[in-house]
Amino acid sequence: MIAVPNKDHYFSPEEYFAWEAQQLEKYELINGRVYAMTGGTQNHSAIKLNLASLIRGYLRGKPCRVFNSDLKVNILYTSNYTYPDLSVTCDPRDREHSLYITYPCLIVEVLSPTTEAYDRGKKFARYRRNPNLIDYVLVSSEEMAIDIYHKNQAGDWLILSYRAGDTVEFQSINLRVPVEQIYEEIIFEESPGEI
C-alpha cells in the first residue's frame, strides 16, 4: 500500500467513490486519505485464486457470497474502505450496496514482506471491531504457513496456526481444507543459506 502524493486532501466517502472511479488503479480510503494498492507476486496471485476457488465451490448454493480483491470492505462504523484479498459475507444487508460489503464473517489477506506488519497490526485492529467478523486469515506467500485469528463464542480472539500436513478450519463458514490444497502448485524460493 502506497500513499497518494496529494497528502493535503482528505476525501469523504462520496468524493472517494467518485474519484476512484476515474482512476486506473485501486485505492483504499483510511482516515480520509487514499492509498494505492500495489500488485503482487505469482505466488500471491495463485494462493488467492486457490482459496477463492475452494471457498466459492464450497459455498455454491448457500446464502454466503465470496468476493476477491476487486470488492471493498467498509470498516464498520467508519468511513474507511479496504480491499482485502478475499472476503465472505453471509449477511443479507451486504446486498444493499454494489460497491462494497460491511458485514464479512471471513477476511483473507495473503501476506507479503512489505504488508505483513500492517496486516497483522493496524489492519486487523480495524477489522476486529466488526461483530460479524469471525475469521481473519493471514496466508504466507513465502512458506506454507497460515494463521487464523478466530473469534470464539466468548468474543476472545485466538490465533490458530497451520503448517504442512494440517487441515485448516474456517469456522466462520464451517469449511475444513488440507493446507496443501491452498498451496497447490505454489513454488517457494529458497532463502540464501537454505539447503
Side-chain angles (χ1 to χ4, degrees):
M1 203 164 69
I2 301 171
V4 171
N6 183 359
K7 296 179 181 174
D8 296 330
H9 184 78
Y10 285 86
F11 287 79
S12 69
E14 296 76 20
E15 290 173 319
Y16 161 67
F17 287 129
W19 177 83
E20 190 190 36
Q22 305 300 313
Q23 307 306 307
L24 296 176
E25 296 86 19
K26 296 185 300 189
Y27 293 84
E28 292 190 342
L29 178 68
I30 305 295
N31 299 326
R33 295 186 187 232
V34 291
Y35 296 86
M37 300 305 298
T38 57
T41 64
Q42 286 188 26
N43 279 1
H44 190 277
S45 180
I47 291 166
K48 284 185 351 183
L49 185 58
N50 287 349
L51 271 165
S53 298
L54 289 165
I55 293 173
R56 174 70 181 108
Y58 173 75
L59 292 177
R60 185 168 281 115
K62 297 179 178 155
C64 299
R65 299 176 74 199
V66 60
F67 297 99
N68 67 14
S69 58
D70 289 334
L71 186 72
K72 296 180 224 9
V73 169
N74 170 230
I75 307 298
L76 192 63
Y77 308 124
T78 74
S79 296
N80 296 332
Y81 294 84
T82 63
Y83 282 102
D85 288 319
L86 200 73
S87 57
V88 175
T89 181
C90 303
D91 195 305
R93 293 174 290 181
D94 279 326
R95 295 187 183 263
E96 296 172 8
H97 302 283
S98 63
L99 297 177
Y100 61 88
I101 63 171
T102 305
Y103 307 99
C105 61
L106 181 147
I107 291 177
V108 176
E109 294 288 0
V110 178
L111 302 173
S112 68
T114 57
T115 64
E116 183 169 357
Y118 174 65
D119 289 340
R120 288 186 185 279
K122 288 184 179 179
K123 200 169 203 180
F124 177 51
R126 290 183 179 107
Y127 283 143
R128 72 180 177 204
R129 291 185 214 145
N130 190 327
N132 288 51
L133 186 63
I134 297 169
D135 289 324
Y136 180 58
V137 183
L138 299 176
V139 183
S140 175
S141 61
E142 297 184 322
E143 64 177 322
M144 199 173 292
I146 298 173
D147 289 336
I148 297 182
Y149 291 79
H150 172 75
K151 184 170 61 178
N152 65 19
Q153 291 191 0
D156 299 319
W157 288 95
L158 311 173
I159 300 176
L160 309 170
S161 295
Y162 300 95
R163 301 298 181 261
D166 292 339
T167 298
V168 180
E169 187 173 2
F170 302 99
Q171 294 179 50
S172 54
I173 57 173
N174 199 28
L175 171 64
R176 295 172 52 85
V177 177
V179 74
E180 285 77 11
Q181 286 186 14
I182 295 167
Y183 287 97
E184 185 177 7
E185 298 182 3
I186 301 300
I187 299 169
F188 298 108
E189 293 182 19
E190 288 186 17
S191 299
E194 281 190 63
I195 297 176

